[in-house]
Amino acid sequence: VERSGLDRSFLPPWRCSWEKPHRTENQASEHETHVRMAMASGRVGAALRCCTASTEPMNSKVQLGKDGPRVSRIGVGTITWGDVRKGYGKTFDESTLQSTYVAARKCGINFFDTAEVYGYESLKQDDSSEQILARCIQTERMGNQAGDQGNAADPVVVGTKYFTIPWTNMLVGGGFRLGRQAILDAVQESSKRLNMLPIPLYMIHFPFPTYSQNVLMEGLREAKELGFVDAIGVSNYSQAEMEQAQEILE
């Protein structure tokens, strides 16, 4: 919660702690850890030096799910992008984030994680996380078209998320939302902000009591069937919740 800059009242009470996931030594090398720390702290140069020290883990890709996109083993989270509470517009700005994006791409990173609520206070100024990320991607594409083919063969994979709190839209001037149609409406709004159709990966941000798992999974399934997204997934789910979601989708 402290990292997201959101009020505690905005999140379910049982999700208000920040738990560090358990990782074994085989799951994350010292090199990868250094890159994560550098990118998280905004030290782009340090992150780049860590990346270039050993390119193999960065350039290798893993497949999400059975037929999902292939993504870099390390991704970039954009939870602070556009977040004025975390210093956007004061201690860092879009040019800083453009540099971060470029450094990540030079490292071989192709996966960027965002969400409809990241930087939501800046949405009306076109400076939410999704909107800034869209401009970073567009700048890269323009460079490729101009003859710089550095990343042309390594397309960006964006994962964004549906926030299940029913009053989410009220934060940005919308109305109360519930049900499967709300998911379909939200994914189209994310698509507009990202300037991307289909969205490579669309996820449920976390389960919430006002949405049944059936409604959430059917919303994701329909979004994929309608061509709004290429792949679907979940975030902040327990193993039991993931197994239940999988059963519904199968």
Side-chain angles (χ1 to χ4, degrees), residues 56-77:
E56 190 279 326
M58 305 298 300
N59 293 331
S60 63
K61 301 293 190 293
V62 295
Q63 184 169 326
L64 295 180
K66 296 179 180 178
D67 56 0
R70 294 188 64 79
V71 300
S72 50
R73 298 176 66 86
I74 294 177
V76 174

Side-chain angles (χ1 to χ4, degrees), residues 210-226:
T210 51
Y211 285 86
S212 70
Q213 282 279 40
N214 282 303
V215 167
L216 293 174
M217 294 308 109
E218 289 303 323
L220 289 182
R221 189 203 306 272
E222 189 165 352
K224 189 174 188 302
E225 291 174 347
L226 291 172

Side-chain angles (χ1 to χ4, degrees), residues 2 6 23 28 33 35 48 62 66 84 97-98 120 128 132 167 176 183 202 204 210 218 241 249:
E2 298 304 324
L6 299 175
R23 298 178 66 86
T33 301
V35 174
L48 184 56
V62 295
K66 296 179 180 178
V84 295
L97 301 177
Q98 286 275 359
Y120 71 90
S128 70
I132 295 172
W167 51 88
F176 199 81
I183 299 173
Y202 196 66
I204 300 301
T210 51
E218 289 303 323
E241 289 166 336
L249 290 171

Side-chain angles (χ1 to χ4, degrees), residues 68-115:
R70 294 188 64 79
V71 300
S72 50
R73 298 176 66 86
I74 294 177
V76 174
T78 63
I79 193 170
T80 62
W81 291 29
D83 191 339
V84 295
R85 305 190 196 188
K86 293 300 181 182
Y88 181 72
K90 294 181 180 180
T91 59
F92 67 98
D93 56 19
E94 185 165 335
S95 65
T96 312
L97 301 177
Q98 286 275 359
S99 297
T100 300
Y101 178 89
V102 171
R105 294 292 280 144
K106 286 182 178 179
C107 289
I109 293 173
N110 76 334
F111 181 60
F112 291 79
D113 174 83
T114 185

Side-chain angles (χ1 to χ4, degrees), residues 29-238:
S29 67
E30 181 180 358
H31 157 71
E32 291 173 325
T33 301
H34 288 166
V35 174
R36 287 192 184 92
M37 292 174 64
M39 294 298 289
S41 65
R43 294 184 289 115
V44 179
L48 184 56
R49 287 194 296 274
C50 288
C51 292
T52 55
S54 175
T55 58
E56 190 279 326
M58 305 298 300
N59 293 331
S60 63
K61 301 293 190 293
V62 295
Q63 184 169 326
L64 295 180
K66 296 179 180 178
D67 56 0
R70 294 188 64 79
V71 300
S72 50
R73 298 176 66 86
I74 294 177
V76 174
T78 63
I79 193 170
T80 62
W81 291 29
D83 191 339
V84 295
R85 305 190 196 188
K86 293 300 181 182
Y88 181 72
K90 294 181 180 180
T91 59
F92 67 98
D93 56 19
E94 185 165 335
S95 65
T96 312
L97 301 177
Q98 286 275 359
S99 297
T100 300
Y101 178 89
V102 171
R105 294 292 280 144
K106 286 182 178 179
C107 289
I109 293 173
N110 76 334
F111 181 60
F112 291 79
D113 174 83
T114 185
E116 61 177 351
V117 295
Y118 291 173
Y120 71 90
E121 291 181 322
S122 301
L123 193 148
K124 292 182 179 180
Q125 291 75 43
D126 294 331
D127 277 346
S128 70
S129 174
E130 289 180 326
Q131 293 164 322
I132 295 172
L133 180 56
R135 290 194 289 272
C136 290
I137 296 170
Q138 181 61 26
T139 298
E140 179 184 38
R141 288 174 177 168
M142 291 173 63
N144 290 340
Q145 292 172 0
D148 178 6
Q149 299 295 313
N151 296 314
D154 187 26
V156 173
V157 177
V158 173
T160 192
K161 301 183 284 295
Y162 176 78
F163 209 69
T164 47
I165 305 295
W167 51 88
T168 301
N169 271 6
M170 299 172 70
L171 295 173
V172 292
F176 199 81
R177 66 184 192 184
L178 281 173
R180 177 188 54 79
Q181 185 59 45
I183 299 173
L184 298 177
D185 292 341
V187 70
Q188 292 177 79
E189 291 302 313
S190 281
S191 179
K192 292 176 184 176
R193 290 189 290 269
L194 288 165
N195 191 27
M196 186 176 290
L197 182 69
I199 296 173
L201 174 63
Y202 196 66
M203 298 168 279
I204 300 301
H205 209 139
F206 51 75
F208 194 72
T210 51
Y211 285 86
S212 70
Q213 282 279 40
N214 282 303
V215 167
L216 293 174
M217 294 308 109
E218 289 303 323
L220 289 182
R221 189 203 306 272
E222 189 165 352
K224 189 174 188 302
E225 291 174 347
L226 291 172
F228 297 143
V229 301
D230 278 335
I232 55 178
V234 298
S235 172
N236 295 305
Y237 268 48
S238 67

